[in-house]
Amino acid sequence: MTPKLIKTAAAALLALALAALSACGSATTTAAGPATASTGATASTGPVVLDESADRTHITVAPGTIVRTELHSTYWSPATSTDPGLLAPTDEPSTAAAPSCRPGSGCGTVTTAFTARTAGTVRLTAHRSSCGEAKPCPPGGQDFTVDVDITG
């Protein structure tokens, strides 16, 4: 490879890495409507799906919106709402282990769905004490929290 080709490839990889990093920490959502940060953007009315990348974020939704957490380890507890009168569970949480998962590795998902009922602010939380068999979680890796503003 020529030095110019190496520089071009390195620049392309750097651009991809920066794009991936900029996506970290944002809420993931379905195509029906994005979760909005606390920047005054319009509230979402479509289903909102939150995973670990939404940890420590703030979203805004309208009443009637389904908010679902999909945490990618069976070591997570199901998410709970600090005020079920505002953000109510829609059904029982579910845990699905990945079919090719080795025992003790915790691969799979823990999913909980909620319905935004009325205006107010609520927090979704989940916790895990382990990040794998005999593997402690790194600092900040044990808790999942998302603040939800319900407007309307």
Side-chain angles (χ1 to χ4, degrees):
M1 290 180 92
T2 66
K4 184 176 181 179
L5 186 58
I6 292 172
K7 280 185 178 180
T8 303
L13 286 173
L14 179 60
L16 283 172
L18 290 174
L21 284 174
S22 70
C24 291
S26 62
T28 57
T29 64
T30 64
T36 57
S38 57
T39 59
T42 306
S44 174
T45 56
V48 176
V49 181
L50 306 171
D51 65 12
E52 292 86 341
S53 67
D55 186 29
R56 298 186 188 111
T57 62
H58 193 127
I59 65 168
T60 301
V61 299
T65 302
I66 301 295
V67 178
R68 189 171 66 234
T69 60
E70 291 181 0
L71 301 175
H72 297 93
S73 170
T74 57
Y75 289 112
W76 284 108
S77 67
T80 58
S81 167
T82 56
D83 189 339
L86 297 178
L87 192 62
T90 58
D91 52 20
E92 291 297 315
S94 65
T95 301
S100 60
C101 189
R102 290 178 302 165
S105 60
C107 36
T109 57
V110 177
T111 303
T112 311
F114 303 87
T115 300
R117 290 196 168 173
T118 186
T121 300
V122 63
R123 178 173 279 182
L124 289 173
T125 61
H127 179 78
R128 62 183 174 179
S129 2
S130 175
C131 286
E133 187 174 6
K135 179 181 175 189
C137 293
Q142 290 184 323
D143 296 302
F144 171 84
T145 61
V146 175
D147 291 319
V148 180
D149 275 335
I150 305 167
T151 62

